[in-house]
Amino acid sequence: MFLYLVNRVLMIIPTLIVISMISFVIIQLPPGDYLTTYMARLQQSGYTVDQSEIDSLNRRYGLDRPIHVQYYRWITGVLRGDFGYSFDWQRPVNQLIWERLALTLAVTTASLIFSWILAFPIGVYSAVKQHSVGDYFFTFLGFLGLATPNFMIALLLMFVAHRYLGWSVGGLFSPEYMAAPWSMGKVVDLLKHLWIPMVVVGTAGTAGLIRVMRNNLLDELSKPYVLTAKSKGLKEVTMLFKYPVRLAIIPFVSTVGWQLPNLISGATIVAVVLSLPTAGPLLLRALLSQDMYLAGSFVLLLASLTCIGTLISDVLLALVDPRIRYE
């Protein structure tokens, strides 16, 4: 197990290097660069830009250098903890990412816990009570949750909360707390606003996990070892959670690999609809404006979280599933 972990960690390093190269090149594949977008904005507003100003900005941002030089300058800075400078925001990338990361983590973690708390018992119930009224009811809700776009659910919840409950919706804070320093009142205000994105983002994940949990548990319940355990007089609840549920829960564990990067990039459209100050809209804006250092840092962060999440998933699978052993 130890050698396996060492090999996996060592494999992460060249993987991240290759991903950083590919992502940096792909970000620059569309015609033009950040200055092209910036100049187009200025011209639309009626501002005339001469060539000397364009050359000056090219030298200032290093956009007049070859792409491999730009990449080397960026990646060596990343190794020192400097992710570069955002052209669009006129701020260091480090500050932009970390100030959005905490709120992103709050929203997605709440959504993940919401999904697991609902999906686990409902999936077990639907499998044990197969073809019952409750099973059909939860199956219908599951398909409804999968079929309904998240942004549509967001719009409906915003309408209900504003029209019938009189709550300030959209964003994660009330207007009076947006620029206020952190305090107990601001935390309480955050919790009041957190339930809408939690329900919206968690709905699709809950619906999918219910179906996976139900089908996996049904498959396990039909295997001979379950009949053997029942024939030996083992209590049904004890047998259920000690053996088949333990194996059927594997999809919950295996999803950690993509849940970590989802903390950053997930539910971008929902975040735009709800005006959430999370990382998703920031990444979208960086890609649209070709802000290469900000976009490249985000892609590298997503790749790192994917590698770490996959490693955690493999370790947890070895602990949960007794059939898996690493030599």
Side-chain angles (χ1 to χ4, degrees):
M1 188 68 169
F2 176 74
L3 292 177
Y4 170 79
L5 290 176
V6 172
N7 289 332
R8 290 303 305 272
V9 171
L10 292 178
M11 283 297 296
I12 289 176
I13 298 174
T15 301
L16 291 179
I17 293 175
V18 173
I19 290 176
S20 68
M21 292 179 179
I22 295 174
S23 61
F24 197 83
V25 171
I26 290 176
I27 290 169
Q28 299 202 30
L29 282 181
D33 49 28
Y34 170 75
L35 281 184
T36 305
T37 307
Y38 179 66
M39 295 304 170
R41 291 180 195 166
L42 293 179
Q43 291 174 356
Q44 288 177 359
S45 61
Y47 183 79
T48 304
V49 182
D50 56 20
Q51 187 61 40
S52 60
E53 186 174 356
I54 296 176
D55 295 339
S56 175
L57 290 173
N58 267 314
R59 288 191 298 270
R60 176 184 174 186
Y61 294 134
L63 298 177
D64 57 340
R65 300 184 180 184
I67 186 172
H68 66 276
V69 176
Q70 296 180 33
Y71 169 78
Y72 177 78
R73 186 168 121 181
W74 172 65
I75 200 65
T76 52
V78 169
L79 296 177
R80 298 192 303 268
D82 179 13
F83 287 84
Y85 196 78
S86 171
F87 307 148
D88 197 16
W89 293 84
Q90 297 293 306
R91 292 176 59 190
V93 171
N94 294 11
Q95 296 179 7
L96 290 170
I97 290 179
W98 296 123
E99 72 181 15
R100 297 286 185 110
L101 198 58
L103 294 176
T104 304
L105 187 62
V107 172
T108 51
T109 302
S111 303
L112 183 62
I113 295 174
F114 172 79
S115 299
W116 285 3
I117 289 177
L118 285 184
F120 180 76
I122 292 176
V124 172
Y125 173 84
S126 295
V128 175
K129 303 293 184 180
Q130 186 184 16
H131 302 314
S132 65
V133 175
D135 179 30
Y136 288 129
F137 174 74
F138 288 123
T139 298
F140 171 75
L141 287 184
F143 285 132
L144 187 64
L146 287 172
T148 307
N150 282 355
F151 68 87
M152 179 69 71
I153 300 176
L155 292 174
L156 290 174
L157 285 179
M158 289 176 67
F159 173 77
V160 172
H162 179 71
R163 180 71 178 271
Y164 297 103
L165 301 178
W167 291 351
S168 173
V169 292
L172 289 176
F173 301 102
S174 300
E176 62 270 20
Y177 283 107
M178 283 185 180
W182 281 100
S183 63
M184 185 55 66
K186 187 170 184 176
V187 173
V188 172
D189 186 68
L190 172 63
L191 295 177
K192 288 181 180 179
H193 289 76
L194 191 60
W195 72 272
I196 291 182
M198 179 186 73
V199 172
V200 171
V201 176
T203 299
T206 301
L209 286 175
I210 288 174
R211 304 307 302 165
V212 171
M213 184 69 187
R214 177 185 182 276
N215 295 336
N216 276 24
L217 187 53
L218 283 174
D219 184 56
E220 293 297 327
L221 289 174
S222 63
K223 292 184 177 178
Y225 75 87
V226 175
L227 299 176
T228 303
K230 288 181 178 180
S231 66
K232 290 184 177 181
L234 194 64
K235 290 183 179 180
E236 186 172 353
V237 175
T238 303
M239 180 276 303
L240 183 67
F241 285 95
K242 188 175 182 180
Y243 298 112
V245 169
R246 182 179 177 183
L247 297 177
I249 204 175
I250 289 176
F252 284 75
V253 176
S254 61
T255 56
V256 174
W258 56 265
Q259 287 291 351
L260 285 182
N262 192 50
L263 296 178
I264 306 300
S265 62
T268 299
I269 297 178
V270 174
V272 172
V273 171
L274 294 175
S275 301
L276 302 180
T278 53
L282 188 64
L283 173 58
L284 177 62
R285 177 170 169 175
L287 292 172
L288 291 176
S289 63
Q290 294 181 266
D291 193 348
M292 60 184 185
Y293 293 131
L294 180 57
S297 299
F298 263 121
V299 173
L300 185 60
L301 181 60
L302 294 176
S304 303
L305 289 174
T306 302
C307 293
I308 295 172
T310 304
L311 179 62
I312 295 174
S313 293
D314 291 340
V315 174
L316 292 178
L317 284 173
L319 298 176
V320 173
D321 191 349
R323 300 170 297 181
I324 297 177
R325 292 293 182 268
Y326 294 112
E327 297 296 338

